[in-house]
């Protein structure tokens, strides 16, 4: 998933030094009120820089020339709407445009993850069924999803969770511990009403065991019943169990109480350490001092990412061989043809067609803004990832060209925290469009890009696939406010947002669609091929 990122200025024509072997790039862009900025020095060109330029170019299509004509996006398709009382359109009260900076319908929704009235209190550590240890896997955000799920698994098993071990042996070779990234005491105290959490298994308890902790690995996306049938008996017998390579080992679709526990863990229990918070917020303030609003762009265009998804962009047999060798790191992946088919299906990150640097003069990297303050963090990819997470989360607009772990978690958190504008390029349609760009005028191309992005702008009413990951679409934790014109803009949040029983969106996957507040909206996947043909033919 790649957690170390760099920010690069569009007109800052100088190379960014690579601090380690992972290079997941992302950029920040600020726009002045007039939409103009000062031009800076010349910069070198590279494939990675090109990818960023495309993403920023995509933004430029929506914003006009930097910051003009922000309100361009129109909701005309009925399948991309939610209706309130079948009369009032929640997504903006009519057919008006949506500006790129803020969702007009976000005021009608709020994050809600409070415990229900019948939620049982946790047992004391001494009365639990045993100690649960997990070994997280991957980069920082992949590990974060695993730890979130471990909290839920501990609840299912009625177990005491031991503060998780982070992965020191993955591609990024980061030896950071949980306490280097997150506030351990806060994590333990916040979850005290859900599960008991301890920093370590008591020494005297470990010495009393006849055998060392039992180690096991559960299948991916296992249902709660699997843990009760397969893990609980071992936990009761051995008292201490460690689950290895714990990433995406719990099913995405759970009951509402467990889903809300996921949200409490992911969006509230994780608090970055003071050094990371201080630097991250300092960078945010520097951006805010230069302009009132900024866009954060997260890109994932690295060899390991491309190899994992079987993405090929040219370069001949040598490049195909190198990607194939990297792909062998994952023993469970099928052999990939690397013929470009994955890109046609929209499974690969997008690349630029032409330079667009001149459109974005106010472009910065954390190296540029932090200077010497960044030095202590450079050897640790996970700590750099935490800084990136803070600045991306605080941005007015977050744009990603991929569906990796950081993109998913941030998209979910931004939905939960008020549907802050989050844009994901429609890679499937845009990839096909770029291949035909030379055959159309810029006006036509621009219009088709905007059309392709309908439903990918982070609106509350956007249709999600039945296979959507809960970390990206935390639907059980998104509630709709009762409609009152007198207090449309007044929100009083509790510890987890506002808890208004039975007012939740509580989206439920159906066989042929998604149900939100009793309205069934058809999943668009069955019409994708026909829509692609119509889209390109228009």
């Amino acid at each position: 998933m790649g957690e170390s990122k760099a920010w690069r200025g569009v007109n800052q024509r100088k190379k960014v030094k690579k601090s380690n072997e992972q290079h997941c790039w992302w950029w920040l862009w600020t726009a002045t009120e007039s939409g103009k900025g000062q031009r800076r020095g010349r910069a070198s060109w590279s494939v990675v820089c090109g990818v960023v330029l495309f993403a920023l170019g995509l933004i430029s299509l929506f914003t006009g020339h930097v910051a003009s004509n922000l309100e361009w996006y129109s909701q005309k398709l009925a399948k991309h709407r939610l209706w309130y009382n079948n009369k009032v359109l929640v997504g903006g009260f009519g057919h008006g445009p949506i500006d790129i900076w803020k969702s007009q319908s976000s005021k009608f929704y709020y994050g809600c993850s409070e415990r229900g009235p019948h939620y049982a209190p946790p047992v004391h550590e001494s009365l639990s069924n045993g100690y649960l240890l997990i070994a997280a896997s991957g980069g920082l955000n992949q590990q974060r999803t695993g730890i979130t799920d471990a909290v839920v698994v501990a609840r299912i098993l009625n177990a005491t969770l031991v503060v998780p071990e982070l992965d020191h042996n993955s591609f990024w070779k980061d030896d950071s511990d949980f306490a280097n990234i997150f506030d351990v005491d806060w994590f333990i105290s916040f979850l005290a009403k859900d599960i008991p959490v301890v920093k370590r298994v008591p020494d005297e308890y470990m010495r009393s065991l006849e055998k060392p902790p039992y180690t096991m690995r559960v299948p991916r996306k296992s249902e709660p019943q699997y843990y009760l049938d397969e893990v609980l008996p071992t936990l009761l017998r051995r008292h201490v169990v460690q689950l290895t390579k714990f990433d995406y080992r719990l099913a995405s679709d759970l009951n509402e109480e467990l889903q809300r526990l996921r949200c409490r863990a992911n969006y509230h229990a994780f608090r970055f350490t003071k050094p990371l918070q201080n630097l991250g917020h300092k960078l945010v303030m520097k951006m805010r001092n230069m302009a009132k609003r900024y866009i954060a762009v997260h890109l994932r265009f690295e060899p390991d990412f491309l190899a994992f998804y079987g993405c090929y962009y040219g370069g001949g047999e040598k490049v195909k061989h190198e990607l194939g060798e990297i792909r062998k790191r994952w023993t469970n992946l099928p052999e990939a043809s690397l013929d470009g088919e994955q890109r046609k299906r929209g499974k690969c990150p997008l690349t630029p067609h032409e330079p667009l640097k001149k459109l974005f003069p106010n472009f910065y990297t954390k190296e540029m803004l932090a200077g010497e303050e960044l030095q202590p963090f450079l050897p640790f990819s996970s700590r750099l990832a935490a800084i990136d997470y803070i600045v991306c989360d605080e941005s007015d607009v977050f744009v990603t060209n991929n569906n990796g772990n950081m993109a998913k978690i941030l998209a979910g958190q931004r939905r939960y925290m008020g549907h802050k504008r989050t844009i994901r390029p429609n890679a499937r349609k845009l990839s096909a469009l770029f291949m035909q760009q030379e055959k159309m005028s810029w006006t036509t191309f621009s219009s088709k890009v905007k059309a392709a992005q309908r439903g990918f702008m982070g609106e509350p009413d956007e249709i999600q696939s039945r296979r959507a990951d809960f970390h990206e679409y935390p639907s059980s934790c998104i509630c709709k406010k009762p409609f009152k014109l007198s207090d449309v803009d007044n929100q009083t949040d509790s510890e987890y947002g506002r808890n208004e029983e039975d007012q939740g969106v509580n989206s439920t996957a159906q066989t042929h669609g998604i149900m939100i507040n009793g309205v069934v909206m058809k999943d668009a996947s069955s019409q994708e091929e026909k829509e692609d043909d119509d889209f390109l033919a228009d």
Side-chain angles (χ1 to χ4, degrees), residues 112 148-149 248 251-256 258-264 266-267 408-409 411-413 415-416 464 467-478 507:
C112 51
T148 297
D149 286 349
Y248 294 99
S252 182
D253 187 17
L254 304 173
N255 68 53
E256 183 174 295
L258 294 181
Q259 296 290 51
R260 290 196 169 195
L261 174 54
R262 257 180 172 155
C263 294
R264 290 195 295 277
N266 199 3
Y267 307 137
K408 286 180 180 179
I409 293 180
Q413 177 156 326
R415 286 184 173 97
Y416 178 82
Q464 55 181 281
R467 295 173 295 175
D469 185 85
F470 183 80
H471 295 291
E472 184 176 6
Y473 294 95
S475 53
S476 299
C477 304
I478 307 294
S507 302

mmCIF file of all heavy atoms in Angstrom, residues 112 148-149 248 251-256 258-264 266-267 408-409 411-413 415-416 464 467-478 507:
data_model
loop_
_atom_site.group_PDB
_atom_site.id
_atom_site.type_symbol
_atom_site.label_atom_id
_atom_site.label_comp_id
_atom_site.label_asym_id
_atom_site.label_seq_id
_atom_site.Cartn_x
_atom_site.Cartn_y
_atom_site.Cartn_z
ATOM 1 N N CYS A 112 -22.374 8.861 13.149
ATOM 2 C CA CYS A 112 -23.052 8.370 14.346
ATOM 3 C C CYS A 112 -22.542 6.966 14.656
ATOM 4 O O CYS A 112 -22.745 6.052 13.871
ATOM 5 C CB CYS A 112 -24.567 8.350 14.147
ATOM 6 S SG CYS A 112 -25.092 7.510 12.633
ATOM 7 N N THR A 148 -8.207 -2.175 13.693
ATOM 8 C CA THR A 148 -9.635 -1.873 13.852
ATOM 9 C C THR A 148 -10.449 -3.150 13.907
ATOM 10 O O THR A 148 -11.320 -3.325 14.778
ATOM 11 C CB THR A 148 -10.117 -0.987 12.683
ATOM 12 O OG1 THR A 148 -9.418 0.264 12.709
ATOM 13 C CG2 THR A 148 -11.612 -0.731 12.775
ATOM 14 N N ASP A 149 -10.172 -4.067 12.988
ATOM 15 C CA ASP A 149 -10.899 -5.335 12.985
ATOM 16 C C ASP A 149 -10.561 -6.192 14.204
ATOM 17 O O ASP A 149 -11.414 -6.938 14.700
ATOM 18 C CB ASP A 149 -10.578 -6.112 11.705
ATOM 19 C CG ASP A 149 -11.258 -5.515 10.475
ATOM 20 O OD1 ASP A 149 -12.126 -4.637 10.648
ATOM 21 O OD2 ASP A 149 -10.919 -5.919 9.348
ATOM 22 N N TYR A 248 -7.440 -7.538 6.931
ATOM 23 C CA TYR A 248 -8.675 -7.923 6.239
ATOM 24 C C TYR A 248 -9.076 -9.361 6.574
ATOM 25 O O TYR A 248 -9.471 -10.130 5.710
ATOM 26 C CB TYR A 248 -8.520 -7.730 4.729
ATOM 27 C CG TYR A 248 -8.362 -6.281 4.343
ATOM 28 C CD1 TYR A 248 -7.108 -5.735 4.080
ATOM 29 C CD2 TYR A 248 -9.470 -5.444 4.275
ATOM 30 C CE1 TYR A 248 -6.959 -4.398 3.750
ATOM 31 C CE2 TYR A 248 -9.330 -4.097 3.942
ATOM 32 C CZ TYR A 248 -8.071 -3.588 3.679
ATOM 33 O OH TYR A 248 -7.933 -2.258 3.367
ATOM 34 N N ALA A 251 -14.936 -10.142 8.010
ATOM 35 C CA ALA A 251 -15.883 -9.798 6.952
ATOM 36 C C ALA A 251 -16.244 -8.318 6.995
ATOM 37 O O ALA A 251 -16.280 -7.696 8.056
ATOM 38 C CB ALA A 251 -17.144 -10.656 7.089
ATOM 39 N N SER A 252 -16.512 -7.752 5.829
ATOM 40 C CA SER A 252 -16.873 -6.339 5.745
ATOM 41 C C SER A 252 -18.289 -6.090 6.242
ATOM 42 O O SER A 252 -18.581 -5.067 6.849
ATOM 43 C CB SER A 252 -16.737 -5.848 4.300
ATOM 44 O OG SER A 252 -17.039 -4.475 4.195
ATOM 45 N N ASP A 253 -19.176 -7.029 6.008
ATOM 46 C CA ASP A 253 -20.595 -6.861 6.363
ATOM 47 C C ASP A 253 -20.874 -7.506 7.715
ATOM 48 O O ASP A 253 -20.884 -8.736 7.839
ATOM 49 C CB ASP A 253 -21.459 -7.497 5.271
ATOM 50 C CG ASP A 253 -22.943 -7.219 5.487
ATOM 51 O OD1 ASP A 253 -23.263 -6.303 6.269
ATOM 52 O OD2 ASP A 253 -23.768 -7.921 4.875
ATOM 53 N N LEU A 254 -21.083 -6.681 8.736
ATOM 54 C CA LEU A 254 -21.368 -7.158 10.094
ATOM 55 C C LEU A 254 -22.668 -6.526 10.587
ATOM 56 O O LEU A 254 -23.235 -5.644 9.932
ATOM 57 C CB LEU A 254 -20.224 -6.796 11.034
ATOM 58 C CG LEU A 254 -18.817 -7.272 10.656
ATOM 59 C CD1 LEU A 254 -17.800 -6.679 11.617
ATOM 60 C CD2 LEU A 254 -18.745 -8.783 10.637
ATOM 61 N N ASN A 255 -23.120 -6.944 11.770
ATOM 62 C CA ASN A 255 -24.313 -6.298 12.321
ATOM 63 C C ASN A 255 -23.985 -4.869 12.742
ATOM 64 O O ASN A 255 -22.825 -4.482 12.867
ATOM 65 C CB ASN A 255 -24.899 -7.108 13.481
ATOM 66 C CG ASN A 255 -24.006 -7.109 14.717
ATOM 67 O OD1 ASN A 255 -23.594 -6.066 15.216
ATOM 68 N ND2 ASN A 255 -23.714 -8.297 15.234
ATOM 69 N N GLU A 256 -25.027 -4.080 12.949
ATOM 70 C CA GLU A 256 -24.835 -2.643 13.158
ATOM 71 C C GLU A 256 -23.987 -2.320 14.379
ATOM 72 O O GLU A 256 -23.147 -1.407 14.335
ATOM 73 C CB GLU A 256 -26.188 -1.940 13.262
ATOM 74 C CG GLU A 256 -26.063 -0.427 13.401
ATOM 75 C CD GLU A 256 -27.402 0.275 13.365
ATOM 76 O OE1 GLU A 256 -28.064 0.227 12.313
ATOM 77 O OE2 GLU A 256 -27.788 0.857 14.401
ATOM 78 N N LEU A 258 -21.545 -4.028 15.733
ATOM 79 C CA LEU A 258 -20.134 -4.292 15.447
ATOM 80 C C LEU A 258 -19.582 -3.293 14.439
ATOM 81 O O LEU A 258 -18.418 -2.880 14.540
ATOM 82 C CB LEU A 258 -19.965 -5.725 14.929
ATOM 83 C CG LEU A 258 -20.283 -6.838 15.936
ATOM 84 C CD1 LEU A 258 -20.048 -8.205 15.302
ATOM 85 C CD2 LEU A 258 -19.438 -6.694 17.202
ATOM 86 N N GLN A 259 -20.401 -2.873 13.482
ATOM 87 C CA GLN A 259 -19.944 -1.861 12.530
ATOM 88 C C GLN A 259 -19.679 -0.536 13.237
ATOM 89 O O GLN A 259 -18.703 0.155 12.940
ATOM 90 C CB GLN A 259 -20.983 -1.660 11.420
ATOM 91 C CG GLN A 259 -21.233 -2.867 10.534
ATOM 92 C CD GLN A 259 -20.075 -3.218 9.619
ATOM 93 O OE1 GLN A 259 -18.934 -3.340 10.072
ATOM 94 N NE2 GLN A 259 -20.348 -3.386 8.341
ATOM 95 N N ARG A 260 -20.526 -0.195 14.167
ATOM 96 C CA ARG A 260 -20.318 1.066 14.885
ATOM 97 C C ARG A 260 -19.100 0.979 15.809
ATOM 98 O O ARG A 260 -18.431 1.982 16.037
ATOM 99 C CB ARG A 260 -21.586 1.442 15.662
ATOM 100 C CG ARG A 260 -22.717 1.863 14.736
ATOM 101 C CD ARG A 260 -23.826 2.594 15.473
ATOM 102 N NE ARG A 260 -24.751 3.212 14.523
ATOM 103 C CZ ARG A 260 -25.641 4.135 14.841
ATOM 104 N NH1 ARG A 260 -25.729 4.557 16.102
ATOM 105 N NH2 ARG A 260 -26.435 4.655 13.934
ATOM 106 N N LEU A 261 -18.832 -0.209 16.307
ATOM 107 C CA LEU A 261 -17.599 -0.389 17.071
ATOM 108 C C LEU A 261 -16.396 -0.184 16.166
ATOM 109 O O LEU A 261 -15.401 0.419 16.579
ATOM 110 C CB LEU A 261 -17.567 -1.787 17.694
ATOM 111 C CG LEU A 261 -16.270 -2.181 18.421
ATOM 112 C CD1 LEU A 261 -15.890 -1.156 19.482
ATOM 113 C CD2 LEU A 261 -16.390 -3.571 19.030
ATOM 114 N N ARG A 262 -16.487 -0.667 14.940
ATOM 115 C CA ARG A 262 -15.430 -0.408 13.961
ATOM 116 C C ARG A 262 -15.187 1.101 13.815
ATOM 117 O O ARG A 262 -14.054 1.553 13.770
ATOM 118 C CB ARG A 262 -15.833 -0.988 12.594
ATOM 119 C CG ARG A 262 -15.170 -2.286 12.217
ATOM 120 C CD ARG A 262 -15.658 -2.743 10.867
ATOM 121 N NE ARG A 262 -14.912 -3.888 10.391
ATOM 122 C CZ ARG A 262 -15.372 -4.768 9.519
ATOM 123 N NH1 ARG A 262 -16.596 -4.636 9.040
ATOM 124 N NH2 ARG A 262 -14.625 -5.782 9.119
ATOM 125 N N CYS A 263 -16.268 1.843 13.724
ATOM 126 C CA CYS A 263 -16.141 3.293 13.549
ATOM 127 C C CYS A 263 -15.547 3.962 14.787
ATOM 128 O O CYS A 263 -14.717 4.876 14.669
ATOM 129 C CB CYS A 263 -17.505 3.902 13.219
ATOM 130 S SG CYS A 263 -18.162 3.384 11.616
ATOM 131 N N ARG A 264 -15.956 3.534 15.957
ATOM 132 C CA ARG A 264 -15.383 4.124 17.179
ATOM 133 C C ARG A 264 -13.882 3.851 17.247
ATOM 134 O O ARG A 264 -13.095 4.714 17.639
ATOM 135 C CB ARG A 264 -16.088 3.563 18.416
ATOM 136 C CG ARG A 264 -17.528 4.028 18.590
ATOM 137 C CD ARG A 264 -18.051 3.760 19.992
ATOM 138 N NE ARG A 264 -18.143 2.347 20.318
ATOM 139 C CZ ARG A 264 -19.165 1.566 19.987
ATOM 140 N NH1 ARG A 264 -20.183 2.046 19.298
ATOM 141 N NH2 ARG A 264 -19.178 0.290 20.358
ATOM 142 N N ASN A 266 -11.805 3.077 14.642
ATOM 143 C CA ASN A 266 -11.045 3.673 13.542
ATOM 144 C C ASN A 266 -11.013 5.192 13.592
ATOM 145 O O ASN A 266 -9.977 5.813 13.336
ATOM 146 C CB ASN A 266 -11.636 3.210 12.206
ATOM 147 C CG ASN A 266 -10.679 3.390 11.046
ATOM 148 O OD1 ASN A 266 -9.541 3.807 11.215
ATOM 149 N ND2 ASN A 266 -11.138 3.076 9.858
ATOM 150 N N TYR A 267 -12.128 5.808 13.913
ATOM 151 C CA TYR A 267 -12.230 7.265 13.816
ATOM 152 C C TYR A 267 -12.049 7.995 15.136
ATOM 153 O O TYR A 267 -11.966 9.227 15.150
ATOM 154 C CB TYR A 267 -13.578 7.651 13.203
ATOM 155 C CG TYR A 267 -13.859 6.965 11.893
ATOM 156 C CD1 TYR A 267 -15.121 6.444 11.610
ATOM 157 C CD2 TYR A 267 -12.855 6.799 10.937
ATOM 158 C CE1 TYR A 267 -15.385 5.796 10.405
ATOM 159 C CE2 TYR A 267 -13.108 6.155 9.732
ATOM 160 C CZ TYR A 267 -14.365 5.650 9.478
ATOM 161 O OH TYR A 267 -14.614 5.011 8.281
ATOM 162 N N LYS A 408 -8.803 4.450 0.868
ATOM 163 C CA LYS A 408 -10.053 3.932 1.408
ATOM 164 C C LYS A 408 -10.343 4.487 2.797
ATOM 165 O O LYS A 408 -11.453 4.941 3.093
ATOM 166 C CB LYS A 408 -9.998 2.405 1.478
ATOM 167 C CG LYS A 408 -10.119 1.696 0.149
ATOM 168 C CD LYS A 408 -10.060 0.195 0.364
ATOM 169 C CE LYS A 408 -10.177 -0.561 -0.940
ATOM 170 N NZ LYS A 408 -10.093 -2.035 -0.724
ATOM 171 N N ILE A 409 -9.330 4.420 3.677
ATOM 172 C CA ILE A 409 -9.560 4.846 5.059
ATOM 173 C C ILE A 409 -9.863 6.339 5.129
ATOM 174 O O ILE A 409 -10.776 6.780 5.837
ATOM 175 C CB ILE A 409 -8.341 4.509 5.936
ATOM 176 C CG1 ILE A 409 -8.192 2.996 6.061
ATOM 177 C CG2 ILE A 409 -8.487 5.121 7.317
ATOM 178 C CD1 ILE A 409 -7.011 2.576 6.899
ATOM 179 N N ALA A 411 -11.104 8.222 2.734
ATOM 180 C CA ALA A 411 -12.426 8.464 2.157
ATOM 181 C C ALA A 411 -13.515 8.154 3.179
ATOM 182 O O ALA A 411 -14.482 8.916 3.332
ATOM 183 C CB ALA A 411 -12.610 7.614 0.898
ATOM 184 N N GLY A 412 -13.357 7.036 3.894
ATOM 185 C CA GLY A 412 -14.341 6.684 4.914
ATOM 186 C C GLY A 412 -14.376 7.679 6.055
ATOM 187 O O GLY A 412 -15.456 8.081 6.511
ATOM 188 N N GLN A 413 -13.209 8.095 6.516
ATOM 189 C CA GLN A 413 -13.167 9.045 7.629
ATOM 190 C C GLN A 413 -13.750 10.386 7.230
ATOM 191 O O GLN A 413 -14.464 11.025 8.011
ATOM 192 C CB GLN A 413 -11.730 9.222 8.122
ATOM 193 C CG GLN A 413 -11.599 10.261 9.227
ATOM 194 C CD GLN A 413 -10.385 10.051 10.096
ATOM 195 O OE1 GLN A 413 -9.963 8.940 10.346
ATOM 196 N NE2 GLN A 413 -9.802 11.143 10.550
ATOM 197 N N ARG A 415 -16.043 10.906 4.989
ATOM 198 C CA ARG A 415 -17.498 10.754 4.941
ATOM 199 C C ARG A 415 -18.080 10.836 6.349
ATOM 200 O O ARG A 415 -19.078 11.508 6.595
ATOM 201 C CB ARG A 415 -17.870 9.418 4.284
ATOM 202 C CG ARG A 415 -17.664 9.383 2.786
ATOM 203 C CD ARG A 415 -18.142 8.066 2.175
ATOM 204 N NE ARG A 415 -18.079 8.129 0.725
ATOM 205 C CZ ARG A 415 -17.072 7.663 -0.007
ATOM 206 N NH1 ARG A 415 -16.056 7.069 0.590
ATOM 207 N NH2 ARG A 415 -17.075 7.783 -1.317
ATOM 208 N N TYR A 416 -17.448 10.126 7.275
ATOM 209 C CA TYR A 416 -17.925 10.081 8.652
ATOM 210 C C TYR A 416 -17.861 11.452 9.318
ATOM 211 O O TYR A 416 -18.738 11.815 10.098
ATOM 212 C CB TYR A 416 -17.084 9.067 9.424
ATOM 213 C CG TYR A 416 -17.431 8.945 10.890
ATOM 214 C CD1 TYR A 416 -18.508 8.159 11.307
ATOM 215 C CD2 TYR A 416 -16.675 9.587 11.867
ATOM 216 C CE1 TYR A 416 -18.826 8.036 12.650
ATOM 217 C CE2 TYR A 416 -16.980 9.465 13.211
ATOM 218 C CZ TYR A 416 -18.055 8.690 13.596
ATOM 219 O OH TYR A 416 -18.361 8.574 14.929
ATOM 220 N N GLN A 464 -22.990 3.040 -4.237
ATOM 221 C CA GLN A 464 -21.804 2.242 -3.986
ATOM 222 C C GLN A 464 -22.045 0.809 -4.420
ATOM 223 O O GLN A 464 -23.170 0.317 -4.406
ATOM 224 C CB GLN A 464 -21.421 2.272 -2.509
ATOM 225 C CG GLN A 464 -22.549 1.841 -1.590
ATOM 226 C CD GLN A 464 -22.138 1.900 -0.133
ATOM 227 O OE1 GLN A 464 -21.457 1.017 0.347
ATOM 228 N NE2 GLN A 464 -22.566 2.946 0.548
ATOM 229 N N ARG A 467 -20.077 -4.670 -3.400
ATOM 230 C CA ARG A 467 -18.825 -5.202 -2.880
ATOM 231 C C ARG A 467 -17.999 -4.132 -2.176
ATOM 232 O O ARG A 467 -16.852 -4.357 -1.834
ATOM 233 C CB ARG A 467 -18.006 -5.797 -4.027
ATOM 234 C CG ARG A 467 -18.680 -7.006 -4.679
ATOM 235 C CD ARG A 467 -17.923 -7.448 -5.917
ATOM 236 N NE ARG A 467 -17.952 -6.437 -6.951
ATOM 237 C CZ ARG A 467 -17.294 -6.531 -8.103
ATOM 238 N NH1 ARG A 467 -16.556 -7.584 -8.350
ATOM 239 N NH2 ARG A 467 -17.382 -5.572 -8.997
ATOM 240 N N ALA A 468 -18.575 -2.948 -1.958
ATOM 241 C CA ALA A 468 -17.827 -1.839 -1.361
ATOM 242 C C ALA A 468 -17.319 -2.202 0.029
ATOM 243 O O ALA A 468 -18.007 -2.845 0.818
ATOM 244 C CB ALA A 468 -18.710 -0.595 -1.289
ATOM 245 N N ASP A 469 -16.108 -1.765 0.322
ATOM 246 C CA ASP A 469 -15.487 -2.046 1.610
ATOM 247 C C ASP A 469 -16.029 -1.080 2.664
ATOM 248 O O ASP A 469 -16.169 0.127 2.417
ATOM 249 C CB ASP A 469 -13.966 -1.886 1.475
ATOM 250 C CG ASP A 469 -13.248 -2.291 2.741
ATOM 251 O OD1 ASP A 469 -12.972 -3.478 2.905
ATOM 252 O OD2 ASP A 469 -12.970 -1.393 3.575
ATOM 253 N N PHE A 470 -16.300 -1.613 3.862
ATOM 254 C CA PHE A 470 -16.884 -0.777 4.911
ATOM 255 C C PHE A 470 -15.948 0.342 5.329
ATOM 256 O O PHE A 470 -16.409 1.426 5.709
ATOM 257 C CB PHE A 470 -17.241 -1.640 6.121
ATOM 258 C CG PHE A 470 -17.913 -0.860 7.224
ATOM 259 C CD1 PHE A 470 -19.250 -0.556 7.160
ATOM 260 C CD2 PHE A 470 -17.191 -0.420 8.328
ATOM 261 C CE1 PHE A 470 -19.876 0.175 8.163
ATOM 262 C CE2 PHE A 470 -17.800 0.312 9.334
ATOM 263 C CZ PHE A 470 -19.140 0.603 9.253
ATOM 264 N N HIS A 471 -14.645 0.112 5.277
ATOM 265 C CA HIS A 471 -13.705 1.158 5.678
ATOM 266 C C HIS A 471 -13.812 2.370 4.755
ATOM 267 O O HIS A 471 -13.505 3.487 5.160
ATOM 268 C CB HIS A 471 -12.280 0.614 5.671
ATOM 269 C CG HIS A 471 -12.044 -0.453 6.694
ATOM 270 N ND1 HIS A 471 -12.040 -0.191 8.042
ATOM 271 C CD2 HIS A 471 -11.816 -1.787 6.576
ATOM 272 C CE1 HIS A 471 -11.821 -1.310 8.720
ATOM 273 N NE2 HIS A 471 -11.684 -2.294 7.855
ATOM 274 N N GLU A 472 -14.240 2.160 3.528
ATOM 275 C CA GLU A 472 -14.406 3.257 2.574
ATOM 276 C C GLU A 472 -15.825 3.836 2.630
ATOM 277 O O GLU A 472 -16.023 5.035 2.452
ATOM 278 C CB GLU A 472 -14.103 2.765 1.161
ATOM 279 C CG GLU A 472 -14.153 3.866 0.106
ATOM 280 C CD GLU A 472 -13.751 3.372 -1.269
ATOM 281 O OE1 GLU A 472 -13.548 2.155 -1.439
ATOM 282 O OE2 GLU A 472 -13.634 4.210 -2.188
ATOM 283 N N TYR A 473 -16.808 2.986 2.854
ATOM 284 C CA TYR A 473 -18.209 3.410 2.930
ATOM 285 C C TYR A 473 -18.799 2.954 4.267
ATOM 286 O O TYR A 473 -19.492 1.935 4.338
ATOM 287 C CB TYR A 473 -19.015 2.807 1.780
ATOM 288 C CG TYR A 473 -18.623 3.303 0.417
ATOM 289 C CD1 TYR A 473 -17.714 2.591 -0.370
ATOM 290 C CD2 TYR A 473 -19.162 4.482 -0.097
ATOM 291 C CE1 TYR A 473 -17.359 3.040 -1.627
ATOM 292 C CE2 TYR A 473 -18.805 4.944 -1.355
ATOM 293 C CZ TYR A 473 -17.898 4.215 -2.117
ATOM 294 O OH TYR A 473 -17.548 4.666 -3.361
ATOM 295 N N PRO A 474 -18.545 3.688 5.349
ATOM 296 C CA PRO A 474 -19.039 3.273 6.680
ATOM 297 C C PRO A 474 -20.514 3.598 6.846
ATOM 298 O O PRO A 474 -20.911 4.410 7.692
ATOM 299 C CB PRO A 474 -18.158 4.087 7.635
ATOM 300 C CG PRO A 474 -17.859 5.338 6.871
ATOM 301 C CD PRO A 474 -17.738 4.922 5.428
ATOM 302 N N SER A 475 -21.354 2.961 6.048
ATOM 303 C CA SER A 475 -22.766 3.340 5.954
ATOM 304 C C SER A 475 -23.519 3.195 7.266
ATOM 305 O O SER A 475 -24.433 3.983 7.549
ATOM 306 C CB SER A 475 -23.449 2.508 4.864
ATOM 307 O OG SER A 475 -23.232 1.125 5.075
ATOM 308 N N SER A 476 -23.171 2.211 8.084
ATOM 309 C CA SER A 476 -23.859 2.039 9.365
ATOM 310 C C SER A 476 -23.583 3.181 10.331
ATOM 311 O O SER A 476 -24.274 3.321 11.342
ATOM 312 C CB SER A 476 -23.438 0.714 10.016
ATOM 313 O OG SER A 476 -23.785 -0.384 9.207
ATOM 314 N N CYS A 477 -22.561 3.972 10.029
ATOM 315 C CA CYS A 477 -22.160 5.070 10.914
ATOM 316 C C CYS A 477 -22.457 6.437 10.305
ATOM 317 O O CYS A 477 -21.941 7.457 10.770
ATOM 318 C CB CYS A 477 -20.665 4.966 11.231
ATOM 319 S SG CYS A 477 -20.180 3.397 11.955
ATOM 320 N N ILE A 478 -23.265 6.470 9.259
ATOM 321 C CA ILE A 478 -23.678 7.725 8.647
ATOM 322 C C ILE A 478 -25.178 7.859 8.837
ATOM 323 O O ILE A 478 -25.958 7.044 8.350
ATOM 324 C CB ILE A 478 -23.345 7.776 7.139
ATOM 325 C CG1 ILE A 478 -21.872 7.462 6.898
ATOM 326 C CG2 ILE A 478 -23.728 9.142 6.569
ATOM 327 C CD1 ILE A 478 -20.908 8.478 7.435
ATOM 328 N N SER A 507 -27.413 1.714 5.402
ATOM 329 C CA SER A 507 -27.534 1.095 4.090
ATOM 330 C C SER A 507 -27.454 -0.406 4.210
ATOM 331 O O SER A 507 -26.605 -0.940 4.895
ATOM 332 C CB SER A 507 -26.387 1.588 3.198
ATOM 333 O OG SER A 507 -26.429 2.979 3.104
#
